[in-house]
């Protein structure tokens, strides 16, 4: 398992976090390295059947983040774009001996404002 594609930042929409001001920006709840995976045909067509699109598939270490990630959340990857979370799969990477999350994401089409991503 190689997590060298960059750092992913995961956000809850501000309106879903008690005590936060409602804005278009979210509240950061997890940040960590991710690896790129191949979006297979089955995953691609299953998403299409549900009127979703899977643009990328990333892998992160589970390390407590899995309990917080929900369908209304989004992430920002190293390219600076926002990605809507379509699906989260908890799996065990036997080769690496680690618990990981495979996260299917759909690009929203806009770069995240206020980040230092290039």
């Amino acid at each position: 398992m190689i997590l060298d594609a960059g750092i992913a930042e995961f956000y809850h929409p501000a309106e879903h976090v008690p005590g936060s001001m409602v804005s278009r920006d979210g509240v950061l709840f997890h940040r960590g390295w991710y690896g790129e995976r191949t979006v297979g045909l089955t995953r691609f067509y299953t998403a299409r059947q549900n009127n979703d699109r899977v643009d990328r598939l990333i892998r992160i270490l589970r390390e407590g983040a899995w309990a917080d990630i929900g369908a209304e959340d989004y992430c920002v990857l190293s390219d600076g774009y926002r990605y809507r979370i379509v699906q989260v799969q908890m799996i065990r990477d036997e080769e690496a001996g680690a618990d990981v999350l495979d996260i299917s994401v759909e690009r929203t089409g806009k770069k995240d404002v206020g980040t230092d991503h290039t």
Side-chain angles (χ1 to χ4, degrees):
M1 170 181 57
I2 300 174
L3 305 178
D4 65 350
I7 294 178
E9 296 176 338
F10 292 87
Y11 294 85
H12 294 304
E15 61 269 15
H16 292 278
V17 179
S20 66
M21 294 182 58
V22 176
S23 72
R24 66 178 185 77
D25 295 325
V27 177
L28 178 69
F29 69 90
H30 182 73
R31 189 172 197 264
W33 288 95
Y34 72 93
E36 292 279 351
R37 309 284 295 163
T38 301
V39 178
L41 288 175
T42 302
R43 185 180 305 267
F44 177 82
Y45 284 111
T46 300
R48 286 292 213 184
Q49 289 172 346
N50 293 317
N51 294 321
D52 285 321
R53 186 179 80 232
V54 174
D55 293 318
R56 294 171 84 172
L57 176 62
I58 64 170
R59 176 170 284 181
I60 65 171
L61 290 174
R62 200 176 306 181
E63 336 178 295
W66 67 272
D68 292 329
I69 297 176
E72 70 279 351
D73 298 328
Y74 69 91
C75 64
V76 177
L77 301 181
S78 60
D79 62 2
Y81 283 98
R82 262 185 212 199
Y83 291 85
R84 181 179 72 84
I85 295 171
V86 175
Q87 181 186 44
V88 179
Q89 288 182 291
M90 294 178 269
I91 61 172
R92 174 91 177 154
D93 185 334
E94 293 297 337
E95 188 175 297
D99 293 327
V100 297
L101 298 176
D102 278 352
I103 305 170
S104 302
V105 297
E106 174 185 4
R107 194 172 96 181
T108 62
K110 53 188 166 188
K111 283 223 177 193
D112 199 48
V113 178
T115 64
D116 59 355
H117 302 286
T118 56

